[in-house]
Amino acid sequence: MDRLNIQELIGKHEKQILESIIYKKLGESALKKATVHFGQTSFNINGDVQNKHSFYYNKKPIGYIDFHETYLENSLLNEVFEKVDLLVSRHITNQISRFHLGKGQALIGSSDHILDIENFIKLASKSKHPVIVEGYSGCEKQAVASAIHYSSERRGNSFYELNCSSLNPENFESQLLNLLSKLNGGTLFISEIERLPLAQQGQLIQLLSVKSHINNLSKNLNKTDIRYIISSSQNLANEVKNNRFLESLLREFNYLKIKMPSLKDRRNDIPYILNFLLAENSDGNKLFTEQAISILKNHHWPENYSELERVGIRLIVLSKGSQIRPEDIKKLAPEIFSEDIETINHKILIENLFNSDFSQIQNLHHGLSKSLMYLSENYHKEITLQNLSEFSYVSPSHLSFLFRSNLGKTFKQILAELRIEKIKKSFAEYPHKKITTSSLEVGFGDLSHFEKIFKKYTKMTPREYKNKLKESL
């Protein structure tokens, strides 16, 4: 793709620069007559949507772009070009897939994981070699397979899926031969190949081997141009080691390979996926509240994208009103809601914050985990909800909701428990230090308030606690 003259862009607003870039890309693609416009995302991604621009095609979002004027100075303009190229290619491929398969097979999101996958698709679609797509159940393996086919020169020919979990072993060979005879110039997607019994794996390797073509039909297949893409929910190399997959069959396919990330490893794509589901399943009159998005982001999604798609569509179609709220999740998807409001073990949480161990909170909402780290490091200072909000880039009301829904307590309660643990340590290390001095050091400015809080959590006064410590020595 030819680059724009950077000198022509200097001095323009970031939105104008985006328009220049995208209209140039559109002019080189099948979308050149499209109506496009830009806007900011309407949902919170890690508390910061400042430079995220949504890219709309015929009033439907086809992607999101991070951009700032400083990209010109930092020589990052080429990265923007590449992302625009991937977004446009994604949309074109999805339209073709929808036409041929009856449904779109788009990869949704803008995480590094998704961009790496789309770059792989772009490269693999230029090749004729077999592809292995590995990933957990429910990951978008079929979307990758169809994207490779419909992005390649084979797009005008057939794309068939052979699902190994639903095959009849008794007539597997005849089914496969019949299918292959219709696929000249097309792509055969063999999904869940790890579910194929060893005997049928042997039949498949024979059909793929030139030396084994012993009848007229299989001889004709030797001249057939077919692209093979296979998917597996298991690591096929490990399956070979465990004698559940033929090493010779793996060698036939092991040319190009990609591992799909689980949805929990790219949680920041979830708001984009929800936005896509809204565009596909509503008239534009609904949206997910920040609280609802937070609950959905924090769910671990064992069935990955397919589970989120089912739950998201259910919420969009069956919820009443223009906003999808936590109450709707509780009513329509209780299995999601009940799990995500289950509180973290507070004893372990406070102990980890006390020791600055943040491993327990790394999968929480980004703003909540940042707030907890802030409390751990600044417990001795005067802290307000507004302070935490400014530090975590999350609104005070939403941050308050995150504490209550994920931890079952307010930030003040968490802070008080942390301070109590700190002062208990101070009593143990410095038994002769005045109670007033210790309370001030950990952030309690009012002695009477400190004594009340201390008794609430320890069931004894500070003096009684110190005396008990002395007796134990």
Side-chain angles (χ1 to χ4, degrees), residues 31-44:
L31 299 180
K32 55 187 174 183
K33 295 182 179 179
T35 300
V36 301
H37 68 278
F38 305 91
Q40 265 190 298
T41 50
S42 59
F43 43 76
N44 190 301

Side-chain angles (χ1 to χ4, degrees), residues 133-308:
V133 185
E134 291 184 348
Y136 295 112
S137 175
C139 291
E140 301 99 309
K141 296 190 286 291
Q142 186 189 53
V144 171
S146 64
I148 291 173
H149 173 77
Y150 290 114
S151 297
S152 73
E153 295 179 352
R154 300 173 182 267
R155 67 175 68 91
N157 296 317
S158 298
F159 173 86
Y160 279 100
E161 177 180 1
L162 185 67
N163 191 319
C164 295
S165 65
S166 59
L167 288 175
N168 183 352
E170 295 181 1
N171 60 358
F172 168 73
E173 186 173 12
S174 61
Q175 283 182 315
L176 184 59
L177 285 170
N178 183 54
L179 184 58
L180 294 178
S181 68
K182 302 175 182 178
L183 268 177
N184 190 25
T187 298
L188 178 61
F189 173 45
I190 308 176
S191 62
E192 299 186 64
I193 197 169
E194 80 280 5
R195 304 280 293 275
L196 193 64
L198 286 171
Q200 280 64 50
Q201 291 181 32
Q203 292 175 344
L204 179 56
I205 191 65
Q206 286 180 344
L207 290 172
L208 295 174
S209 173
V210 175
K211 293 180 181 179
S212 68
H213 290 174
I214 57 177
N215 58 50
N216 291 333
L217 183 54
S218 57
K219 284 180 181 177
N220 291 334
L221 291 178
N222 188 32
K223 301 177 182 179
T224 301
D225 176 23
I226 299 174
R227 174 75 176 276
Y228 294 94
I229 301 177
I230 69 170
S231 75
S232 172
S233 297
Q234 303 294 328
N235 183 305
L236 292 179
N238 290 339
E239 293 296 287
V240 169
K241 292 178 182 178
N242 293 318
N243 299 316
R244 292 192 291 262
F245 199 81
L246 296 178
E247 184 176 9
S248 56
L249 185 56
L250 179 58
R251 282 199 300 268
E252 287 288 333
F253 294 124
N254 199 14
Y255 286 80
L256 310 177
K257 181 179 177 181
I258 188 168
K259 174 70 180 292
M260 298 293 291
S262 64
L263 190 56
K264 68 180 181 180
D265 291 330
R266 53 185 188 94
R267 295 180 189 273
N268 287 338
D269 285 333
I270 289 176
Y272 298 126
I273 295 171
L274 296 174
N275 213 37
F276 173 79
L277 295 176
L278 282 168
E280 291 285 301
N281 298 281
S282 71
D283 297 327
N285 56 352
K286 282 192 176 184
L287 58 85
F288 287 87
T289 65
E290 287 187 354
Q291 292 86 348
I293 291 173
S294 176
I295 291 173
L296 295 172
K297 280 185 68 177
N298 289 332
H299 182 55
H300 68 289
W301 301 110
E303 297 178 48
N304 296 289
Y305 176 86
S306 60
E307 183 184 4
L308 175 59

Side-chain angles (χ1 to χ4, degrees), residues 312-362:
I313 291 175
R314 187 192 317 160
L315 292 170
I316 293 166
V317 173
L318 299 181
S319 63
K320 298 177 180 179
S322 60
Q323 293 187 327
I324 300 171
R325 304 173 180 275
E327 306 90 82
D328 297 307
I329 300 176
K330 185 176 183 179
K331 178 181 178 182
L332 299 171
E335 71 280 7
I336 305 298
F337 189 85
S338 61
E339 178 179 325
D340 282 281
I341 64 171
E342 182 180 353
T343 57
I344 291 176
N345 185 304
H346 286 289
K347 183 176 181 181
I348 296 176
L349 173 65
I350 299 302
E351 181 180 331
N352 287 344
L353 294 180
F354 180 89
N355 295 313
S356 298
D357 178 1
F358 305 127
S359 58
Q360 185 192 18
I361 63 175
Q362 62 183 358

Side-chain angles (χ1 to χ4, degrees), residues 427 435 450-451 454-455 460-467:
F427 286 164
I435 292 176
F450 157 66
E451 291 179 336
F454 191 92
K455 188 172 184 179
M460 60 184 75
T461 66
R463 191 165 300 280
E464 289 171 341
Y465 184 86
K466 289 190 70 174
N467 290 336

Side-chain angles (χ1 to χ4, degrees), residues 439-464:
S439 67
L440 289 173
E441 286 177 348
V442 300
F444 286 108
D446 186 307
L447 182 60
S448 61
H449 175 67
F450 157 66
E451 291 179 336
K452 180 180 178 180
I453 295 296
F454 191 92
K455 188 172 184 179
K456 176 182 178 181
Y457 287 104
T458 64
K459 308 303 179 185
M460 60 184 75
T461 66
R463 191 165 300 280
E464 289 171 341

